[in-house]
Amino acid sequence: MTDLKAVVPHTHEDPPSTAVEGTSEPLLPWWKRVWCHSLTQMILLSVQAFCGPAMSDAITGLGGGGLASPQVSNISNAIRYAMLAVVCFLGGPIVNKIGVKWALVIGSLSFPIQGSAYYCNSKFGNQWYLILSGAIGGIGTACWYVAEAGAIMTLAPSGARGKYLALWIVSRNLGQLVGGAINLAKNSKDGADGGVTPDTFIAFVIIECIALPFALLIIPFEHVVRSDGTRIVTAETLSSRMELRRIAKTITSKLIMLSALWALWSFFYSGSWSTYLADYFSVRARALSSLISPFFCIIGCFGLGFILDMKGMSQRRRAQIGLYTVVILNIGVYIWSIIMQVKFDRYDPGNIDWNDGLYATSFLPYFFVQTTGPLSQSYMYWLLSSFATDAQENVRNGAAFRCIEAIGQAIAYGMNTQTSSSPLVGFCVTFGLLGAALLPMIMLVNTTPDQIPADVIAEEQNAANAKLPVEEP
């Protein structure tokens, strides 16, 4: 039986920072109250996202990983996301067994492998390590991704999930800003061509190494106290056999089946846009693109967060408004990108530099997709968390969703391993996936509960616990 004391939320009248009347629970020191606060834990997680996935995205944002030829980079990324898909499929049982903290630690240890592999390729022409790093990094990062997905959907109080998710998604996209600044500082000379300088990747490796100490500061869910004073609902630890059975139940659930195409689509754009940058932009133009792309993303993600957290509106209505906002913005971006690529197929513009007249119109679709893409992901994790009954279910749902995401990314990069292929194919496939995902998502959104099931359970447990007699000391 689940220990109710471990999962019963604290009320505003009975905060965890004070001793509970009738018990010998000691006062917690201020540093421990800060450490156990949900916002602190979200910030620790966001720092890791910045050091790991954000740096990976920054390397991708250099176009072909910053290499003179994007082919080997695309092969490495295809292998990376294929391994991610396999490990994420089993990620729910793994993370629920070893705990979120240690899954994050394993993942953070794998982050520097990618940056070091790009350095070795750029410096010594070592391609085998770059390809191998895709496999090794994919396994470690998958553990981190599953733990991250469960955490971001669990930590936030119900009334601030949109803003918490915005903080996370912005931290991931700030990597593009830092990566672009590093690359621009080292590759700003006019006329630079081919790959970026090897020293650029050393800076990435250093930042990737910083994730580990922050992963070690993560605490178990049952010790976290949310900003509204509530505790996180956790379930009993299941046996390995039961966890494996839950995989099939999760994958075949209505929640995952209806969101599967959205998951496949949500990151599909990355492979085509990486090739687009490598094929048509100079090194310093790519660097500038990576530097300025995240700025609008910050505004967009927090804007969506405020919409999803609006008071006086049912959760289902907020889910519907959020979906239509994300879809309309994405449709505009994909139509623009397809138009630009059709023009480039007719007339090759060569390496577009930032002082070329064509730079603005050819870069703006990439600029906006760096906002609409993260908006799509932030929205989906908010929606998934609206159906969860406990923290472990969030981990399983996050693992399933991440598995399908990774399959989409593996296919996208696989499509772009042939450098002679036009990104137009990827753009059209991505646009088609959005259209295919729309109807199932509308069906899912229309079934969104008006209150998170985990919150309902917490309230029931809190009410039951309040009726228990208080033992005299």
Side-chain angles (χ1 to χ4, degrees), residues 2-10 36-39 41-42 100 150-158 164 219-235 388-395 454-455 457-458 461:
T2 304
D3 182 5
L4 291 181
K5 185 177 179 181
V7 298
V8 172
H10 288 264
C36 294
H37 197 282
S38 59
L39 182 57
Q41 291 293 302
M42 194 68 172
V100 168
I152 62 176
M153 292 191 290
T154 301
L155 288 172
S158 59
Y164 269 62
I219 62 173
F221 286 145
E222 56 265 27
H223 297 156
V224 174
V225 182
R226 293 189 177 116
S227 55
D228 61 359
T230 60
R231 291 280 189 129
I232 292 171
V233 174
T234 58
T389 57
D390 54 55
Q392 285 83 351
E393 186 174 359
N394 267 333
V395 171
D455 288 349
I457 293 171
Q461 290 175 341

Side-chain angles (χ1 to χ4, degrees), residues 47 51 205-215:
V47 172
C51 296
V205 173
I206 293 172
I207 296 174
E208 287 169 332
C209 289
I210 297 173
L212 179 59
F214 288 94

Side-chain angles (χ1 to χ4, degrees), residues 96-407:
N96 283 336
K97 273 293 182 184
I98 67 175
V100 168
K101 174 181 178 176
W102 296 111
L104 293 173
V105 168
I106 291 172
S108 64
L109 288 171
S110 71
F111 290 158
I113 294 175
Q114 184 185 28
S116 64
Y118 275 95
Y119 171 79
C120 291
N121 183 281
S122 181
K123 182 76 173 179
F124 309 111
N126 190 329
Q127 295 187 346
W128 69 264
Y129 179 39
L130 181 60
I131 294 174
L132 180 63
S133 75
I136 298 174
I139 294 171
T141 305
C143 291
W144 193 92
Y145 272 163
V146 174
E148 177 205 34
I152 62 176
M153 292 191 290
T154 301
L155 288 172
S158 59
R161 286 179 299 141
K163 300 179 190 68
Y164 269 62
L165 286 167
L167 172 64
W168 161 70
I169 205 76
V170 165
S171 69
R172 289 199 60 168
N173 283 272
L174 283 178
Q176 286 271 46
L177 189 152
V178 174
I182 294 170
N183 190 28
L184 188 61
K186 294 182 175 294
N187 303 279
S188 58
K189 185 177 179 181
D190 188 15
D193 195 13
V196 303
T197 61
D199 288 348
T200 303
F201 298 109
I202 293 178
F204 287 129
V205 173
I206 293 172
I207 296 174
E208 287 169 332
C209 289
I210 297 173
L212 179 59
F214 288 94
L216 292 169
L217 291 173
I218 295 294
I219 62 173
F221 286 145
E222 56 265 27
H223 297 156
V224 174
V225 182
R226 293 189 177 116
S227 55
D228 61 359
T230 60
R231 291 280 189 129
I232 292 171
V233 174
T234 58
E236 290 180 347
T237 301
L238 302 177
S239 65
S240 299
R241 179 178 296 181
M242 285 300 298
E243 280 286 359
L244 289 173
R245 288 179 181 175
R246 291 293 179 93
I247 293 177
K249 184 177 179 181
T250 300
I251 290 291
T252 57
S253 67
K254 182 181 74 171
L255 178 63
I256 299 302
M257 295 294 287
L258 291 178
S259 63
L261 284 174
W262 186 280
L264 193 72
W265 161 76
S266 64
F267 269 109
F268 202 88
Y269 66 90
S270 57
S272 299
W273 280 107
S274 178
T275 303
Y276 177 84
L277 287 178
D279 285 349
Y280 300 120
F281 290 82
S282 67
V283 171
R284 69 174 189 168
R286 294 184 228 167
L288 182 62
S289 300
S290 297
L291 177 64
I292 64 179
S293 294
F295 286 106
F296 192 62
C297 175
I298 295 172
I299 298 172
C301 287
F302 276 103
L304 180 64
F306 278 104
I307 292 174
L308 297 177
D309 290 340
M310 282 190 299
K311 309 292 184 183
M313 189 179 296
S314 70
Q315 184 169 256
R316 182 177 300 175
R317 178 62 64 190
R318 284 178 278 144
Q320 292 167 340
I321 293 174
L323 175 66
Y324 295 131
T325 300
V326 170
V327 168
I328 291 171
L329 292 175
N330 272 286
I331 288 175
V333 169
Y334 287 124
I335 291 175
W336 191 345
S337 62
I338 289 172
I339 291 173
M340 289 303 304
Q341 187 57 50
V342 167
K343 291 181 179 179
F344 289 169
D345 284 347
R346 291 176 180 172
Y347 173 73
D348 188 346
N351 276 348
I352 302 172
D353 199 25
W354 67 40
N355 54 11
D356 293 340
L358 190 59
Y359 177 74
T361 54
S362 57
F363 161 68
L364 279 175
Y366 175 80
F367 175 78
F368 287 119
V369 84
Q370 294 304 308
T371 297
T372 58
L375 283 179
S376 309
Q377 297 138 26
S378 179
Y379 171 77
M380 193 62 227
Y381 285 110
W382 180 89
L383 185 65
L384 287 177
S385 67
S386 301
F387 289 84
T389 57
D390 54 55
Q392 285 83 351
E393 186 174 359
N394 267 333
V395 171
R396 295 185 195 101
N397 290 338
F401 193 77
R402 277 276 159 87
C403 173
I404 302 169
E405 274 184 350
I407 291 173

